[in-house]
mmCIF file with all atom_site columns, all heavy atoms in Angstrom:
data_model
loop_
_atom_site.group_PDB
_atom_site.id
_atom_site.type_symbol
_atom_site.label_atom_id
_atom_site.label_alt_id
_atom_site.label_comp_id
_atom_site.label_asym_id
_atom_site.label_entity_id
_atom_site.label_seq_id
_atom_site.pdbx_PDB_ins_code
_atom_site.Cartn_x
_atom_site.Cartn_y
_atom_site.Cartn_z
_atom_site.occupancy
_atom_site.B_iso_or_equiv
_atom_site.pdbx_formal_charge
_atom_site.auth_seq_id
_atom_site.auth_comp_id
_atom_site.auth_asym_id
_atom_site.auth_atom_id
_atom_site.pdbx_PDB_model_num
ATOM 1  N N   . GLY A 1 52 ? 101.222 72.179 96.369  1.00 0.00 ? 1170 GLY A N   1
ATOM 2  C CA  . GLY A 1 52 ? 99.961  71.471 96.566  1.00 0.00 ? 1170 GLY A CA  1
ATOM 3  C C   . GLY A 1 52 ? 98.929  71.724 95.482  1.00 0.00 ? 1170 GLY A C   1
ATOM 4  O O   . GLY A 1 52 ? 97.868  71.087 95.496  1.00 0.00 ? 1170 GLY A O   1
ATOM 5  N N   . GLY A 1 53 ? 99.237  72.650 94.562  1.00 0.00 ? 1171 GLY A N   1
ATOM 6  C CA  . GLY A 1 53 ? 98.290  72.914 93.498  1.00 0.00 ? 1171 GLY A CA  1
ATOM 7  C C   . GLY A 1 53 ? 97.027  73.569 93.944  1.00 0.00 ? 1171 GLY A C   1
ATOM 8  O O   . GLY A 1 53 ? 95.961  73.400 93.335  1.00 0.00 ? 1171 GLY A O   1
ATOM 9  N N   . ARG A 1 54 ? 97.085  74.343 95.026  1.00 0.00 ? 1172 ARG A N   1
ATOM 10 C CA  . ARG A 1 54 ? 95.889  74.995 95.565  1.00 0.00 ? 1172 ARG A CA  1
ATOM 11 C C   . ARG A 1 54 ? 95.984  76.493 95.393  1.00 0.00 ? 1172 ARG A C   1
ATOM 12 O O   . ARG A 1 54 ? 97.081  77.062 95.381  1.00 0.00 ? 1172 ARG A O   1
ATOM 13 C CB  . ARG A 1 54 ? 95.717  74.621 97.023  1.00 0.00 ? 1172 ARG A CB  1
ATOM 14 C CG  . ARG A 1 54 ? 95.400  73.168 97.290  1.00 0.00 ? 1172 ARG A CG  1
ATOM 15 C CD  . ARG A 1 54 ? 95.517  72.842 98.765  1.00 0.00 ? 1172 ARG A CD  1
ATOM 16 N NE  . ARG A 1 54 ? 94.682  73.702 99.557  1.00 0.00 ? 1172 ARG A NE  1
ATOM 17 C CZ  . ARG A 1 54 ? 94.751  73.797 100.891 1.00 0.00 ? 1172 ARG A CZ  1
ATOM 18 N NH1 . ARG A 1 54 ? 95.638  73.042 101.548 1.00 0.00 ? 1172 ARG A NH1 1
ATOM 19 N NH2 . ARG A 1 54 ? 93.964  74.571 101.556 1.00 0.00 ? 1172 ARG A NH2 1
ATOM 20 N N   . THR A 1 55 ? 94.843  77.125 95.299  1.00 0.00 ? 1173 THR A N   1
ATOM 21 C CA  . THR A 1 55 ? 94.797  78.561 95.130  1.00 0.00 ? 1173 THR A CA  1
ATOM 22 C C   . THR A 1 55 ? 93.863  79.209 96.167  1.00 0.00 ? 1173 THR A C   1
ATOM 23 O O   . THR A 1 55 ? 93.020  78.524 96.739  1.00 0.00 ? 1173 THR A O   1
ATOM 24 C CB  . THR A 1 55 ? 94.298  78.960 93.733  1.00 0.00 ? 1173 THR A CB  1
ATOM 25 O OG1 . THR A 1 55 ? 92.997  78.400 93.511  1.00 0.00 ? 1173 THR A OG1 1
ATOM 26 C CG2 . THR A 1 55 ? 95.234  78.435 92.678  1.00 0.00 ? 1173 THR A CG2 1
ATOM 27 N N   . LEU A 1 56 ? 94.073  80.486 96.363  1.00 0.00 ? 1174 LEU A N   1
ATOM 28 C CA  . LEU A 1 56 ? 93.235  81.246 97.275  1.00 0.00 ? 1174 LEU A CA  1
ATOM 29 C C   . LEU A 1 56 ? 93.072  82.640 96.685  1.00 0.00 ? 1174 LEU A C   1
ATOM 30 O O   . LEU A 1 56 ? 94.050  83.214 96.223  1.00 0.00 ? 1174 LEU A O   1
ATOM 31 C CB  . LEU A 1 56 ? 93.890  81.342 98.666  1.00 0.00 ? 1174 LEU A CB  1
ATOM 32 C CG  . LEU A 1 56 ? 93.097  82.124 99.734  1.00 0.00 ? 1174 LEU A CG  1
ATOM 33 C CD1 . LEU A 1 56 ? 91.815  81.374 100.104 1.00 0.00 ? 1174 LEU A CD1 1
ATOM 34 C CD2 . LEU A 1 56 ? 93.957  82.327 100.980 1.00 0.00 ? 1174 LEU A CD2 1
ATOM 35 N N   . TYR A 1 57 ? 91.824  83.166 96.764  1.00 0.00 ? 1175 TYR A N   1
ATOM 36 C CA  . TYR A 1 57 ? 91.515  84.451 96.198  1.00 0.00 ? 1175 TYR A CA  1
ATOM 37 C C   . TYR A 1 57 ? 90.909  85.367 97.240  1.00 0.00 ? 1175 TYR A C   1
ATOM 38 O O   . TYR A 1 57 ? 90.175  84.944 98.123  1.00 0.00 ? 1175 TYR A O   1
ATOM 39 C CB  . TYR A 1 57 ? 90.534  84.350 95.025  1.00 0.00 ? 1175 TYR A CB  1
ATOM 40 C CG  . TYR A 1 57 ? 91.077  83.610 93.808  1.00 0.00 ? 1175 TYR A CG  1
ATOM 41 C CD1 . TYR A 1 57 ? 90.896  82.237 93.705  1.00 0.00 ? 1175 TYR A CD1 1
ATOM 42 C CD2 . TYR A 1 57 ? 91.749  84.265 92.819  1.00 0.00 ? 1175 TYR A CD2 1
ATOM 43 C CE1 . TYR A 1 57 ? 91.371  81.545 92.629  1.00 0.00 ? 1175 TYR A CE1 1
ATOM 44 C CE2 . TYR A 1 57 ? 92.228  83.616 91.703  1.00 0.00 ? 1175 TYR A CE2 1
ATOM 45 C CZ  . TYR A 1 57 ? 92.038  82.228 91.631  1.00 0.00 ? 1175 TYR A CZ  1
ATOM 46 O OH  . TYR A 1 57 ? 92.522  81.581 90.524  1.00 0.00 ? 1175 TYR A OH  1
#
Side-chain angles (χ1 to χ4, degrees):
R1172 293 168 56 191
T1173 59
L1174 181 66
Y1175 295 91

